[in-house]
Amino acid sequence: MFQNYVNIAFRNLFKHKLYSLINILGLGVGLAACILITMFVRDELNYDTFWSNADSIQRMHTTFNVPGREPFVTVVAMGPAKEAITTYFDEEIEYSTRFNGLRPIVKIGDKSFDENVHWTDPETAEIFDFDMISGDMRETLRDTSSIAINETMAKKYFGDQDPMGKVMTLTVYGLQRDYRVTAVFRDLPHNTVLDFQALVKIVESDFEENFSFLFSQWFSVNNNLFFKLRDGVNPERVTARWDEFADNGVALPLQSLREGTKPSDFIKFSSMPIKDIQLNAVGGGEMKPTGSMMNVIIFSSIAALILVIASINFMNLATAKSTQRAREVALRKVLGASRVQLLFQFLGESILLALCGLVLGLVLVELTSPLYSDFIGKDLVFSYVDPFNLSIIVGLVLTVGIVGGIYPAAVISGFRPAQVLKANKSAETSGSAALRSGLVIFQFAISIALIIAAAAVYGQQKYATNIDPGFNRENLIAIPGVSRRGMVENQQAFKEEVLRLPGVVSAAYSFDRPSTGNESNVSVTIPGAETDQSILIGRQDIDFDFVSTYQIKLLAGRLYDRNVARDSWPSTEGVEAGQILEANILVNKTALAKLGFGTPEEAIGRVIRIGRGEQRQQDMTIIGVLDDTKFQSVRRQMRPELYPLSDSSYLNLTVRYSGDGAAMADQIRAIWERIAPDVPFNFEFVTESVLQEFTEEERTATLLAVFSGLAVLVACLGLYGLASFTAERRTKEIGVRKVMGATVLDIVRLLLWQFSRPVLIANLIAWPVALWGLSSWLEEFPYRMDFWMLLPMCAGAGAIALIIAWGTVGGNAAKVARRNPITALRYE
Amino acid sequence: MLKLHNLSKVYRSDEVETVALNSINIEIEQGEFVAIMGPSGCGKSTLLNIVGMLDSPSSGEYIFMDEDVAGYSEAQLSEIRKHNIGFIFQSFNLIDELTVEENIELALLYHNIPASERKARVAKVMDKVGIAHRASHMPSQLSGGQQQRVAVARAVVGDQAMILADEPTGNLDSAHGQEVMEMLQSLNEEGTTIVMVTHSPAHADYARRTINLFDGHVVTENLRAAE
Ligand SMILES: Nc1ncnc2c1ncn2[C@@H]1O[C@H](COP(=O)(O)OP(=O)(O)OP(=O)(O)O)[C@@H](O)[C@H]1O
Ligand SMILES: [Mg+2]
């Protein structure tokens, strides 16, 4: 019995080659897409699960609620918070540790590089279990002049030599120290939010003099602060008490706290389990870019949709084909087969097909996964011994085989032999034909919606990268690192030499450069205003040439003048506590709105006040208003900004050039290396760093395009199969029509229309759904393309679907239409 | 009306060569009622298909209304056929998905006739063949005789001068067969040329002339004296 089924199943597989091929191909592609997406999703969901303490490690986050501005959300913590939480939550928190990546210059012999070294506390060794190659992490992090490096760094500096005991010099923030390598650990895997090449111990006194903001100042958030809960402690016992901690635990020097307000009104602490960070954390300060839950959801849905489309193919082709099997079923029934036996026979056949599809799918996964891994930046491999993977495979085959097979099996096994054997009656019920066109509509609705989504993501990305940033970003080279020891003393000379290069148009120092996302803010009040409420304004220190180099528009007033002493940022040196300093200042347009100063012209001459420490204050008269620049990121809302003419905190030199950029960079490098040979030279083209902000979106857009293409492909395979079956089924009709005088064109049109109708209806379903989903997706962007741009995308997607459907069906229709009618009518 | 001269049809498959019609000479006048008889496989259907321009001869002449159509292209044949020839098949060849009315209308659909006129003409022939009360039924809801009446209606609705019928009664019981024959006879009396293939000598008696085929040859032609 069983043998007979298997035989029949295989024979059918080979007999109906087109049918089998379409099903296997569609299913193979669908399953491959599903498996690839599952690999990605599973990886994203399993970040930082490998640590022994994964379940009890949390990270502390800080959010500043500044009146009148969007909350400043970070995933980092203030340096002193480490001690504070360990004391305050003594019963709950066992260990806590900070990570702060200072990017020092590492020098060994005559080699010097920028490296991703993190300063950390000794508790790191208690919380995280690193995969050690040699040495001991605990010992290393207790010692002030020991360093733990990873395998890659060991290879880079020491090649095949034993790195243990070797010495390297680290220079950063006024610190210069020799460290001895006493531990080597295996490179961190990609599935952790931690990211560093080497670790050294934090010695707060090293930075006390000028850089106390790094570790020992409240209000300066620089550190990734992890803590481990004591065994058996419910995290709620900490998370529920953050406000209480803010109000009692933090020595908040908020002198300006008004009556009835609490520190927790301004500062919100929170914490998040380390396993949730990759997909759920929001805010600045990550060690490396994290993933997004949105993407995980989007891609999981796409995987499910592709699978649905492939299953629909299955179902449609099987019911369509059922007419051909009617006679077999009828005969089997006459010979005594029960309905259940037939049901199992046909289910078995569909599972066999699904299995073949799976084999093809796995082959496709093997072929494409290296490329795919590379593209999404993860080293993913599909392991066949992994129980999860195996259950996914078995689950997919059974789901598709059974879901796709059960309906046709039920229909076929339900044929009445008397009806079927009485010739000249089509065994097909009108119900299954209606269901088929319903399912085709559904498939195409999905495909069309996916095409629209891919187009919209792409369109938004193009829009965002081409948006006018308020400055001219062409032909700009930004050079970071000018505050490094060795260069900071020579800033003036460096700029002068750069300006002497032929092809250099201008050059300007500034605190920030485009697209870093850095934040530096000052609290501003308006003297004499009714409220004493302060407004947080972004601070960007510039030099005389900044505005002209970036080509920013001056809306009102004047720029800084070398001959006006009051234009320069005054030093606090020798100014006693409680004194008031004075200066002139440039601000941007958004600042006026925040300050309530009206038009740029009206704002000229208005005065704003900031604190300069030790109860000193500084009054600043607005002399000029600059147009808004999307300097930080087009992803963020425009922020109010002021532009002190202060030379003490420049981090970047920006050079405007004409001609060949790469050659220009080389010439600047030569000057840099002559002036500061120990400081590594870095540079970036501003156009490129803006593009880089969107690599994630670009990747999403590409993946979306590829997967929606696959969805369309699978849907079209089904359509092709259906079209050929329909043509088959309609041969008699076509023959009659031709006898009645229909031309080839009439017939082709007839068949095309039959398949255009579901595609057109699919558009009617897909458009509103896509428009609704995408318009709410666009809401997330402060700068977004026009909603109406989605309409041509809808029309385009509809046209693409229709053309593809025509292409799929047309050839077949033409072939059928050209056939001589008597062959169709002869053997009825 | 039409004249076949030395007309042959040879089917060539991979190895075998079947001579279905061998140098046939036949003449059929306007308004004739001709029956074609002969054993199975002798070439009756082949002859009818060629006469109906559904197929082309391998050699010989086919003069249809003073035109030699033997070498015409498919599109040209289709054009002539559409205006002059109606068909009735043994297995009716109605389209299952269309109603009786729509099936009949099909014969006018490709003639550039406005919808209102089509409706009127269809209604008229439905009356004539007595199927009007079933206009909106599906073919599967009709008896064989009724289906063949629909097929007859479809063949005549275009006012074609000639109707070709290949065993129109082959799938019918004798009562229904009789009915169809009477319908053909009355059409013939109205002037329509009819060429019919049949195995039944009784049905052949309705025709004025009987052509007997054997192995691709015309063996005899019997003329029946008008009653
Ligand atoms: N397409 C074809 N290819 C090859 N041989 C064919 C083809 N069509 C018909 N024949 C052959 O031509 C001969 C005549 O066939 P035809 O169908 O005309 O016979 P018939 O007289 O109509 O028979 P019946 O009474 O059974 O309908 C037969 O031998 C048949 O096998
Ligand atoms: Mg025949």
Side-chain angles (χ1 to χ4, degrees), chain A residues 97-106 115-121 124 141 144 147 170-173 175 177 179 196 198-204 206-207 215 223-224:
Chain A
T97 188
R98 294 167 290 183
F99 290 93
N100 196 342
L102 304 182
R103 292 208 77 89
I105 295 161
V106 175
E115 295 289 357
N116 182 6
V117 179
H118 270 64
W119 267 249
T120 190
D121 294 303
T124 292
L141 293 184
T144 53
I147 186 168
L170 270 56
T171 311
V172 73
Y173 285 115
L175 170 78
R177 175 170 299 149
Y179 287 88
F196 43 74
L199 290 175
V200 296
K201 184 184 192 306
I202 296 172
V203 183
E204 290 192 21
D206 285 349
F207 305 97
F215 298 107
N223 296 276
N224 267 278

Side-chain angles (χ1 to χ4, degrees), chain A residues 213-290:
Chain A
F213 71 89
L214 286 173
F215 298 107
S216 30
Q217 259 183 33
W218 285 105
F219 286 104
S220 175
V221 283
N222 292 288
N223 296 276
N224 267 278
L225 174 49
F226 289 90
F227 58 85
K228 181 194 169 300
L229 296 166
R230 288 184 193 280
D231 289 342
V233 169
N234 184 343
E236 285 258 324
R237 279 173 57 187
V238 175
T239 52
R241 285 165 64 202
W242 280 121
D243 280 356
E244 178 200 313
F245 166 77
D247 292 336
N248 300 319
V250 188
L252 284 174
L254 285 172
Q255 326 87 322
S256 57
L257 263 191
R258 272 170 296 144
E259 290 284 316
T261 59
K262 304 187 297 296
S264 59
D265 295 338
F266 303 102
I267 290 196
K268 285 279 174 213
F269 295 116
S270 60
S271 57
M272 182 177 272
I274 189 168
K275 292 196 292 190
D276 295 350
I277 292 173
Q278 167 70 5
L279 291 179
N280 295 301
V282 261
E286 291 290 356
M287 294 190 191
K288 67 180 187 194
T290 51

Side-chain angles (χ1 to χ4, degrees), chain B residues 107-127:
Chain B
L108 301 175
L109 210 55
Y110 303 101
H111 282 92
N112 275 330
I113 297 172
S116 55
E117 194 194 327
R118 285 205 305 260
K119 286 266 176 294
R121 284 172 70 171
V122 169
K124 218 173 93 200
V125 285
M126 282 197 302
D127 261 347

Side-chain angles (χ1 to χ4, degrees), chain A residues 5 75 112 170 252 350 511 672 704 766:
Chain A
Y5 286 167
V75 299
S112 63
L170 270 56
L252 284 174
S350 84
F511 171 73
W672 177 290
L704 211 57

Side-chain angles (χ1 to χ4, degrees), chain A residues 826, chain B residues 40-41 43-46 90 166-167 197 199:
Chain A
R826 195 184 164 83
Chain B
S40 189
K44 304 182 297 290
S45 296
T46 307
Q90 174 178 2
D166 194 347
E167 299 185 48
V197 169
H199 282 287

Side-chain angles (χ1 to χ4, degrees), chain A residues 347-364:
Chain A
L347 262 188
E349 285 182 22
S350 84
I351 291 175
L352 177 73
L353 262 184
L355 264 177
C356 295
L358 176 74
V359 171
L360 175 67
L362 291 177
V363 170
L364 290 176

